[in-house]
Amino acid sequence: MVEAKKNSQSKVKNVAFRVVKATVKAVLVYLLYFFFASLLAPIFEVVSGSMGTIETFVVIFIVLMFLGDLAEHTIFQYFLGTARSLFIIAYLVLSLGEGVVSVDFENFTLTVNLTTFYMIILLLSLLDLARSVLQAVSFMSERAERSIQL
Amino acid sequence: MKVPIRALGIATFICWVILIAFIASAAYSIKDLSLGFGAPTFTAASNHELLYSLPLRIDNRGFYNLKAFNITTAYLDAGGSEVSRASTILPVIPHGENVTIFNNATLNMDSLLEKDEQYLFNDKNLKTSITIGWNFAELIPVQLSTNVTFPWGAPFYNFTLGQPSYDLFNSTHSRATVRLSFENHAVFDLDGNIRVELYDSLNSLLGESHAAFSVARSSRYADNLEFYVPLSTAPLPAAQNGHYKVFFSTSLFEYGPSVIPYG
């Protein structure tokens, strides 16, 4: 009875710790975004509509990260990690297309070729995706090993 | 399995941090980069060419050098065909430097007038396409393009040759007096010579006259041309209408004949 109570207390503590950790991480990431957004505000003003799109991206990214941290030590953590990587790839492909961004302001047209960055970000996202899959496989194999040992 | 996964995680995390820091600093640097055009200057060059010089001031206060900085100007006529193109390339503009570069385009007056003689007589607009390109932070190719119009002032704006008025000069010749006037709207002073041939309605050459002129920009020129017509050349009724053939000769261009009817 006492042990069950201790176990339940430890579980609550564990969940509370995860919530606090996930919240702090999410707030830190949002603050980082806030800092960069205010720093780069003049550029966002030139590219109309970019601020809204980036904010949506950051919000979805933070939500997936928050949920992933909440689901720590479960298989869902890796699912959410995979979803986050796929979301970054999908966002890049949809927003940047071929990697050449063209913006009109006043009577000027600004064309920025972001292909190099596009490729680097895609590569890093693919590495993150691969890591999440590997972590999921590792997690499942460890659980299977533990159940065999028991 | 855990160690390689952890190593992969650390490596990608470091790469993300470097990449985000680089993107943020590059974007912040663009904010501190300013470009500005100065007033274009026009000078008469040799070989019947007009030199258009467009100054571009670049103030690179960002963190990164600008590599392969280039400016290309293409001048187009009203029909959209290219009359001149010029490129200026600067290999590197270090960060913290303020540089002014000049894009010099030469406009060949003879070839311009071959396309359309109205550049001689009517004010027009020359469309100009300006493209500025550079490699930002040595990695990101950036291109800025715009279209502007340069006003073209005609050197012989409102060129007028009046109706010839005849009087008897001597027993063999009559004298035809023709009023010649124009305004120099061009960006350059005009020195040269105009040769005018007077033809009657039967297409017979009645006489020829010259006028030497020196007209500063934004100035008006007016003079009388005198033609000495042999009395035996043409009957007077035929000389009441006809045409002039005008030949222009200046330090910048030679053009002619331009046919102007009278009567």
Side-chain angles (χ1 to χ4, degrees):
Chain A
M1 181 78 179
V2 177
E3 205 166 293
K5 205 179 170 183
K6 267 187 181 174
N7 264 349
S8 126
Q9 269 182 346
S10 147
K11 267 186 184 172
V12 170
K13 258 188 184 175
N14 197 16
V15 169
F17 176 71
R18 267 192 262 167
V19 170
V20 170
K21 189 181 159 190
T23 310
V24 168
K25 232 172 124 179
V27 168
L28 278 177
V29 171
Y30 190 77
L31 282 177
L32 200 69
Y33 158 72
F34 192 75
F35 169 72
F36 280 125
S38 57
L39 209 68
L40 306 174
I43 292 165
F44 291 135
E45 277 170 20
V46 170
V47 191
S48 59
S50 63
M51 198 68 176
T53 322
I54 291 170
E55 201 156 293
T56 311
F57 168 78
V58 171
V59 167
I60 296 173
F61 181 85
I62 288 174
V63 167
L64 287 172
M65 195 184 70
F66 181 78
L67 292 175
D69 287 339
L70 278 186
E72 207 177 356
H73 306 306
T74 68
I75 190 69
F76 298 109
Q77 179 190 2
Y78 309 113
F79 285 170
L80 287 161
T82 306
R84 202 174 59 190
S85 301
L86 285 174
F87 169 67
I88 294 172
I89 293 168
Y91 177 84
L92 270 179
V93 170
L94 291 174
S95 63
L96 287 182
E98 290 174 356
V100 179
V101 182
S102 201
V103 184
D104 290 319
F105 66 98
E106 291 170 10
N107 58 343
F108 285 92
T109 303
L110 178 71
T111 309
V112 185
N113 188 342
L114 294 170
T115 317
T116 315
F117 281 105
Y118 188 50
M119 294 313 294
I120 293 171
I121 294 172
L122 273 184
L123 196 69
L124 286 176
S125 301
L126 282 172
L127 279 175
D128 272 344
L129 182 70
R131 189 170 65 100
S132 297
V133 172
L134 282 175
Q135 279 176 321
V137 170
S138 169
F139 179 81
M140 290 307 286
S141 63
E142 271 177 24
R143 209 159 77 166
E145 270 175 27
R146 243 181 283 139
S147 65
I148 288 166
Q149 278 169 1
L150 285 172
Chain B
M1 187 101 164
K2 269 196 167 177
V3 176
I5 292 172
R6 190 164 281 254
L8 185 65
I10 292 167
T12 51
F13 177 75
I14 291 169
C15 287
W16 275 117
V17 169
I18 292 169
L19 189 71
I20 290 168
F22 182 75
I23 290 172
S25 63
Y28 189 70
S29 287
I30 281 189
K31 188 178 73 67
D32 290 333
L33 173 71
S34 69
L35 305 170
F37 289 108
T41 54
F42 309 90
T43 38
S46 56
N47 304 325
H48 291 190
E49 282 175 341
L50 193 63
L51 189 74
Y52 274 64
S53 186
L54 181 69
L56 174 67
R57 186 185 50 75
I58 308 126
D59 191 7
N60 180 17
R61 281 175 283 116
F63 302 128
Y64 299 98
N65 295 344
L66 310 179
K67 285 253 171 117
F69 193 97
N70 63 83
I71 171 168
T72 303
T73 49
Y75 293 86
L76 314 170
D77 64 14
S81 57
E82 195 173 294
V83 290
S84 179
R85 173 179 282 269
S87 288
T88 309
I89 298 168
L90 212 63
V92 63
I93 299 173
H95 66 99
E97 284 211 4
N98 192 342
V99 181
T100 301
I101 59 172
F102 293 88
N103 180 254
N104 297 324
T106 51
L107 202 63
N108 189 287
M109 288 293 294
D110 292 334
S111 60
L112 186 70
L113 294 174
E114 254 174 46
K115 287 181 188 222
D116 187 357
E117 74 167 19
Q118 289 307 308
Y119 284 102
L120 218 52
F121 306 119
N122 289 319
D123 291 347
K124 283 173 172 269
N125 280 325
L126 274 181
K127 289 178 197 163
T128 310
S129 156
I130 303 172
T131 307
I132 304 165
W134 67 92
N135 264 353
F136 189 73
E138 304 187 22
L139 264 180
I140 313 165
V142 178
Q143 195 180 70
L144 196 65
S145 55
T146 187
N147 289 317
V148 291
T149 51
F150 276 121
W152 169 264
F156 295 101
Y157 181 79
N158 200 17
F159 185 85
T160 313
L161 282 168
Q163 179 74 14
S165 64
Y166 292 91
D167 58 58
L168 200 63
F169 181 65
N170 57 27
S171 59
T172 56
H173 286 80
S174 65
R175 182 171 54 195
T177 308
V178 176
R179 185 75 178 158
L180 161 71
S181 65
F182 64 86
E183 291 165 35
N184 178 12
H185 283 190
V187 288
F188 45 85
D189 297 340
L190 208 55
D191 294 289
N193 187 35
I194 295 175
R195 182 165 63 87
V196 182
E197 292 175 358
L198 174 68
Y199 290 82
D200 65 6
S201 58
L202 303 171
N203 208 20
S204 308
L205 178 64
L206 301 180
E208 187 181 309
S209 185
H210 295 261
F213 59 86
S214 177
V215 189
R217 67 184 85 172
S218 310
S219 298
R220 185 179 157 76
Y221 174 86
D223 199 5
N224 285 329
L225 290 174
E226 290 181 344
F227 299 84
Y228 295 95
V229 184
L231 288 171
S232 57
T233 309
L236 199 61
Q240 290 307 309
N241 52 53
H243 63 270
Y244 301 110
K245 278 187 180 173
V246 189
F247 299 83
F248 300 91
S249 173
T250 72
S251 54
L252 263 176
F253 57 88
E254 303 273 342
Y255 185 74
S258 180
V259 179
I260 299 170
Y262 68 87

